Amino acid sequence: MLLKSVIFHYHGLDEQEKEDLDKTADELDAHVEYKWALDFVGQDHLTSFERARLYLNDIIADYPKEKRIELINMVWQANNLKGYVTEMEATAMLKLAKDWNVQRELIELVLK
């Protein structure tokens, strides 16, 4: 929930992205986590991405590569639901992919 939330909030959350976050929270039964993620972003919107990046890097660094690819792909696909990905969102995902050592895989997914 944090990953999707910070990417969607990176440029300003629109209605379709909010609906996707709500749907994801329902599907994962993750309403507590969703509220936590929104509170995390709300603490300081301007620094939320970098704070989340540090937080997620500590956790996701230990994940198997396939899981890291799955997570970055999930966010890429969610962004594509609206029909486009902003430059800011793409930049944010590329930063995370680089941190997680899956930048090449993200680029391959984008080119498909």
Side-chain angles (χ1 to χ4, degrees), residues 21-39:
L21 286 170
D22 292 340
K23 180 181 173 193
T24 302
D26 288 340
E27 289 171 354
L28 299 175
D29 191 24
H31 295 279
V32 171
E33 293 83 355
Y34 180 31
K35 182 185 178 327
W36 179 86
L38 292 178
D39 290 344

Side-chain angles (χ1 to χ4, degrees), residues 15-63:
E15 187 58 35
Q16 190 171 10
E17 292 166 335
K18 183 184 180 320
E19 289 173 12
D20 183 67
L21 286 170
D22 292 340
K23 180 181 173 193
T24 302
D26 288 340
E27 289 171 354
L28 299 175
D29 191 24
H31 295 279
V32 171
E33 293 83 355
Y34 180 31
K35 182 185 178 327
W36 179 86
L38 292 178
D39 290 344
F40 184 98
V41 171
Q43 287 174 8
D44 183 1
H45 185 269
L46 295 176
T47 65
S48 65
F49 176 75
E50 288 303 322
R51 287 184 296 111
R53 187 176 172 194
L54 292 171
Y55 178 84
L56 291 169
N57 285 348
D58 283 343
I59 296 168
I60 294 177
D62 294 335
Y63 283 21

Side-chain angles (χ1 to χ4, degrees), residues 51-79:
R51 287 184 296 111
R53 187 176 172 194
L54 292 171
Y55 178 84
L56 291 169
N57 285 348
D58 283 343
I59 296 168
I60 294 177
D62 294 335
Y63 283 21
K65 189 170 193 172
E66 295 78 26
K67 184 65 175 176
R68 288 178 275 148
I69 294 167
E70 178 185 329
L71 289 169
I72 205 78
N73 185 49
M74 172 205 53
V75 177
W76 179 259
Q77 295 303 323
N79 272 281

Side-chain angles (χ1 to χ4, degrees), residues 89-105:
E89 292 165 332
T91 300
M93 285 182 273
L94 282 169
K95 286 179 182 180
L96 289 171
K98 183 178 180 186
D99 292 347
W100 302 348
N101 199 28
V102 294
Q103 190 172 16
R104 182 176 47 97
E105 289 81 359

